[in-house]
Each structure stands twice: as structure tokens, then as C-alpha cells.
Amino acid sequence: MAFPKHVFLVILFSFLTLLPSSQSQLSADYYKKTCPQFHSIMQRITADKQLSAPTTAAAILRVFFHDCIVDGCDASILIASNALHKSEIDADINLSLAGDAFDLLTRAKTALELECPGVVSCSDILATSARDLVVMVGGPFFKVLLGRKDSKVSDPSIVDSNLPKVNMSMSQALALFSSKGFSAEEMVALVGAHTIGFSHCKEFANRIFNFSKTSDFDPAYNPAFAQGLRKLCANYTKSPEMAAFNDAFTPGKFDNMYYRNLQRGLGLLRSDQAMVMDKLTKPFVDMFAANQTVFFDTFARSMEKLSVYKVKTDKDGEVRRKCDQFNNIQT
């Protein structure tokens, strides 16, 4: 039975009003007329950087997450501090963000400014590069809506309370994600980004050295894995750059091996290993470990959701000329 036209319009309007106003202003073809070479430029710059520096994919994913989950996907994390103002990048938890990510974003922004000056936002560049790099290293494609504006504020004081940490309990991590609208399943899927990249020894040193009076290392570790980490990180206090791959088997490939590792006591970080021990998160770890397609589908859906979290549009933001500087210098 066909609906009367006025009924259809009412239904459509009702659906649209359920969308956040900022999200409804985004579109996949936002730059189709104003910067038609956007996607080809992004793909070229991203591929060149990843091929020359294979850890770039993991670096970009971490910057993207640290930007979005704090106060929305608005490139606030890219702002450099100056003598008068500290920025998010100077929060302690952000100091270890890898330089390859920022180098890629600078290259992309420079190329896009030459092609279509003043058009493409840094937040769109970051979101698109995250998607393109996930695909490049074997992960799923997901839709990235465009039209974000860059923030006019970067406040380091809000970072610490809005980012999950390696020493958090699982209930704390779940509460943090829940406060931002993400379910336990979506949290477990997003943390699956740890299937690529590495962590510095200092992030898990308390699990492998002097863990307790009865054990040198965390008994949740596979013993052989723990001994290997102890050897690798023996001098980490003198060499803080020492690090281990989050996934010891396929560190450069985006797959579900990360979850299979957790089941075998090969989770590098305490917060990661805790997911396989918690009754709320373990079913999702087991599901993703058993079925990579399910993981990919859930990860893609969760990344789409994260990528539009509290985005800025129109007058709420700006299109920065340089990603590390506001267009108007703040005094």
C-alpha cells in the first residue's frame, strides 16, 4: 500500500530530526565541486607515506582516536602550543604520539592547499587518512562523511579525564566509552586497532618486572611471552624508546590476530588483557577471535560512529590554513 505523500514527508522529517544537526550537514561528496581531487590526493600522499614509514597507519589511528574521543573529531589535537597557551598535544598521554602521523597530515594539507586553498579541513584530512590507511594495511573500508570544521580551541586540561588508560579497570573503561555513547561491543572493536602498531616498554613494565611478591611478571601473561618481554625491555629506563609490537605475529597487518592473542595470554597491555577476563567484554573478544568478518563489520561501523562524534560545522569551527595553528593567533 502506498503512503500518501504528506505522510512520507512527515516520516522523513521525523527521521532527520533524530540526527544531530552537525552530522546531518556532513556528506560523502562534500568536496565534489570545491575540491574534486581530494580523494586522489589523499590516497597518493597516504600511500607514499605508509610505504616509506610502515608504522604510519598505527600512528594515524592513535592520533585520530585521541582527537575524536576527547571532545569530538575536530583536529584540536594538532594545534601546537605557544608561549601563551598549551594545547592538547602537550597533555602527558599525548606526548608519545608518533611524529609520522603529523608528518603525513602536514604533507596532505600542503598538497590540498596547493590544489584548492582554504577548502579542506584538517579534521577531514585526519578522518580520511585513518580510513585509507586501515584499508591499505588489510582492514575494512568504512564510510567517512566529510564537511567537518576544525576547532577554535585546544584545551589540554580536558584530555586526561576523557581518554582510556592502560591502568584503568575494565569497569572504568566501559563507563568512559558508555558516557560517549559507545557500547561494550563497540569499545572492544575499536580497541582492536591495536592489531597494528607498538607500545613502549614503560606502558607495560609493571606487568613484567616485580609484579608481586610471588611472581616477577603478571601471571595472566603466557610465561614464554613474558620472559621474552623481560629480555626486550631490560634496559627500558635507559632507553625509553624501547617498544614491543601489540601483535607479535602479524604486527603490520590489520586482522583479528589481536583477539586470538588475548585468548592465549599474549595481550601486551593490562587494559587489553583485561578484556578477555571480564564477563561483559570476553564474549566479544571470543566472537572477534573466531570470525574476522564480524570484527571487520563491527570495527567499520564503530569507526563510522566515532568519526562523527561531536563534529564541528559551520561557525562552530574553521578551515585552518595550517593544521597546527588557529587562523587567528590566540593571545
Side-chain angles (χ1 to χ4, degrees):
M1 181 180 70
F3 284 104
K5 185 176 181 180
H6 72 277
V7 174
F8 174 78
L9 290 175
V10 169
I11 294 173
L12 178 61
F13 177 78
S14 298
F15 171 75
L16 291 174
T17 58
L18 294 175
L19 293 174
S21 60
S22 57
Q23 183 177 339
S24 65
Q25 296 176 42
L26 305 180
S27 66
D29 60 353
Y30 187 83
Y31 297 114
K32 184 177 181 179
K33 293 182 178 179
T34 56
C35 193
Q37 298 303 313
F38 169 72
H39 286 293
S40 61
I41 290 173
M42 285 299 304
Q43 290 169 359
R44 172 174 57 82
I45 299 293
T46 301
D48 288 347
K49 179 61 182 179
Q50 176 65 18
L51 289 172
S52 64
T55 59
T56 301
I60 279 288
L61 270 177
R62 189 168 180 230
V63 171
F64 175 72
F65 180 79
H66 280 224
D67 181 51
C68 292
I69 206 69
V70 171
D71 192 36
C73 300
D74 57 9
S76 54
I77 198 170
L78 305 183
I79 292 295
S81 297
N82 58 40
L84 298 175
H85 291 282
K86 294 292 185 182
S87 301
E88 286 180 30
I89 192 63
D90 284 313
D92 286 345
I93 198 170
N94 287 334
L95 294 178
S96 61
L97 293 173
D100 281 325
F102 300 100
D103 178 62
L104 167 59
L105 299 171
T106 299
R107 294 186 189 192
K109 180 62 171 175
T110 300
L112 288 164
E113 284 297 302
L114 290 172
E115 177 70 21
C116 35
V119 173
V120 180
S121 69
C122 299
S123 46
D124 276 348
I125 293 172
L126 177 55
T128 303
S129 63
R131 190 271 312 282
D132 290 353
L133 283 165
V134 166
V135 173
M136 189 173 178
V137 295
F141 178 89
F142 52 91
K143 180 171 61 178
V144 174
L145 299 178
L146 301 169
R148 298 166 190 77
K149 293 297 186 288
D150 301 324
S151 71
K152 299 177 183 179
V153 176
S154 182
D155 182 1
S157 69
I158 67 172
V159 173
D160 193 63
S161 61
N162 281 287
L163 276 173
K165 302 171 189 64
V166 296
N167 60 351
M168 268 186 174
S169 68
M170 192 48 51
S171 60
Q172 289 174 319
L174 286 166
L176 176 63
F177 276 85
S178 178
S179 71
K180 298 174 183 297
F182 292 89
S183 67
E185 180 182 22
E186 290 167 335
M187 183 196 79
V188 175
L190 288 171
V191 178
H194 287 175
T195 190
I196 56 175
F198 58 86
S199 295
H200 290 97
C201 292
K202 67 177 182 179
E203 299 294 338
F204 54 89
N206 62 341
R207 295 188 70 201
I208 57 176
F209 298 118
N210 304 313
F211 180 74
S212 70
K213 293 181 179 179
T214 58
S215 178
D216 288 335
F217 57 84
D218 186 346
Y221 271 133
N222 175 291
F225 184 55
Q227 293 295 350
L229 292 175
R230 284 166 60 84
K231 291 180 181 178
L232 173 68
C233 298
N235 296 314
Y236 82 96
T237 55
K238 296 180 181 178
S239 302
E241 73 279 1
M242 293 297 296
F245 288 120
N246 294 324
D247 172 3
F249 291 96
T250 57
K253 182 181 179 183
F254 199 100
D255 56 20
N256 71 334
M257 182 62 73
Y258 163 79
Y259 299 104
R260 294 160 64 186
N261 289 341
L262 295 183
Q263 294 174 321
R264 296 180 289 179
L266 304 177
L268 192 62
L269 303 175
R270 176 178 177 269
S271 54
D272 289 1
Q273 193 63 48
M275 291 196 305
V276 81
M277 303 169 70
D278 184 271
K279 65 180 181 179
L280 292 177
T281 52
K282 185 179 186 300
F284 301 118
V285 171
D286 293 341
M287 180 172 66
F288 296 153
N291 192 322
Q292 180 168 281
T293 300
V294 173
F295 164 49
F296 276 15
D297 289 345
T298 310
F299 180 82
R301 187 172 67 250
S302 301
M303 285 291 283
E304 288 180 9
K305 182 175 178 178
L306 177 63
S307 72
V308 295
Y309 177 65
K310 295 180 70 173
V311 296
K312 311 317 186 269
T313 57
D314 296 334
K315 295 180 180 179
D316 292 333
E318 63 184 6
V319 175
R320 293 185 204 140
R321 290 183 288 272
K322 295 183 65 176
C323 288
D324 64 350
Q325 296 178 14
F326 298 118
N327 288 343
N328 296 314
I329 298 177
Q330 296 189 356
T331 59

